Amino acid sequence: KINDEDLSDPIDKAIIETLLNLNNPIPNYQINKVKPFNSTDKYMSVLFTYKFGEKLIYKGAFDKVVTMVKNKPKNEIYEAFNYMMNEGNRVIAIATLDEVICLIGMQDLVRKDVIHTIMSANTAGVRTIMITGDHKKTAAFVASKLNIIKSINEVMSKEELDKLSDIELDKVIEKYNVYARVEPIDKVRIIEA
């Protein structure tokens, strides 16, 4: 069984509580090894044993987890992922070594005081830049709610950022107000530009 100390992340707690309340929870399992989530890998894994043997479970960013499974997801999974992203959800994929078994969509509600603060900053001539580890579509949804951007064309992903030299980034920096799926090291580069 999992102790509370092992579940400091509220998302992990909610997932475990949901799984334990299903009709067929996994009985008598033992966690053997945990690879914690980090912002570079964008996933975590848990190896556990139960009465049928060992099982490895991944939890993390869909675009990362999908590359680690043997069987690529059916079109319905991709459609569900895109639907959730377009609705502004952060999407977490749960998978075994064989396949993606679940998508979890979560929405971080924008606090009213944040909207007011950004509007005040805009009125004062301050340009707001949003740098996030979230997926490009999620970042665009949230940034549009905050009036930081008018279209997804003002959002640069890490993949796009990595293709630019520092000189090229300097030339286009004014065009983008949101940077998505970036890692901590990218923040320094963006700020310097």
Side-chain angles (χ1 to χ4, degrees):
K1 297 298 178 196
I2 299 177
N3 299 322
D4 283 343
E5 310 89 69
D6 300 326
L7 289 174
S8 56
D9 185 342
I11 295 169
D12 289 340
K13 285 183 181 179
I15 291 169
I16 292 294
E17 286 174 14
T18 300
L19 290 174
L20 292 176
N21 287 315
L22 294 175
N23 290 334
N24 297 309
I26 298 169
N28 302 321
Y29 62 91
Q30 177 68 46
I31 292 179
N32 297 335
K33 189 175 181 184
V34 175
K35 179 212 166 292
F37 179 89
N38 68 62
S39 60
T40 302
D41 294 336
K42 299 197 182 339
Y43 78 93
M44 72 171 291
S45 63
V46 177
L47 178 67
F48 66 93
T49 52
Y50 65 120
K51 71 177 182 178
F52 298 113
E54 280 192 333
K55 184 90 86 181
L56 182 64
I57 300 287
Y58 297 111
K59 179 196 89 168
F62 176 80
D63 42 341
K64 179 64 177 186
V65 170
V66 77
T67 65
M68 299 186 302
V69 298
K70 291 178 188 170
N71 303 312
K72 296 306 169 205
K74 296 179 182 175
N75 284 341
E76 292 85 2
I77 298 283
Y78 283 103
E79 288 169 10
F81 170 72
N82 283 318
Y83 174 79
M84 288 183 197
M85 298 302 295
N86 290 332
E87 292 294 309
N89 289 286
R90 286 192 298 137
V91 180
I92 294 175
I94 309 291
T96 64
L97 281 171
D98 293 322
E99 62 186 345
V100 174
I101 56 175
C102 175
L103 297 179
I104 300 169
M106 296 170 295
Q107 207 166 71
D108 293 327
L109 300 177
V110 176
R111 293 190 334 238
K112 290 178 184 174
D113 58 330
V114 173
I115 295 171
H116 176 72
T117 301
I118 290 174
M119 285 174 57
S120 297
N122 290 344
T123 303
V126 175
R127 179 177 171 213
T128 302
I129 304 296
M130 182 174 132
I131 303 174
T132 179
D134 283 341
H135 190 279
K136 185 174 181 174
K137 288 183 180 180
T138 303
F141 183 89
V142 172
S144 66
K145 293 281 185 203
L146 294 171
N147 293 318
I148 295 173
I149 62 168
K150 291 183 173 61
S151 82
I152 198 167
N153 295 333
E154 297 173 64
V155 181
M156 181 183 286
S157 68
K158 175 172 178 46
E159 185 178 272
E160 295 162 328
L161 179 65
D162 287 346
K163 291 179 183 175
L164 299 175
S165 68
D166 288 344
I167 293 168
E168 291 169 325
L169 180 59
D170 287 346
K171 290 178 182 175
V172 299
I173 196 78
E174 295 296 323
K175 192 175 155 188
Y176 298 95
N177 290 332
V178 176
Y179 297 86
R181 268 291 191 255
V182 296
E183 295 173 11
I185 192 73
D186 300 316
K187 294 178 183 180
V188 174
R189 186 171 177 224
I190 293 163
I191 290 166
E192 286 176 351

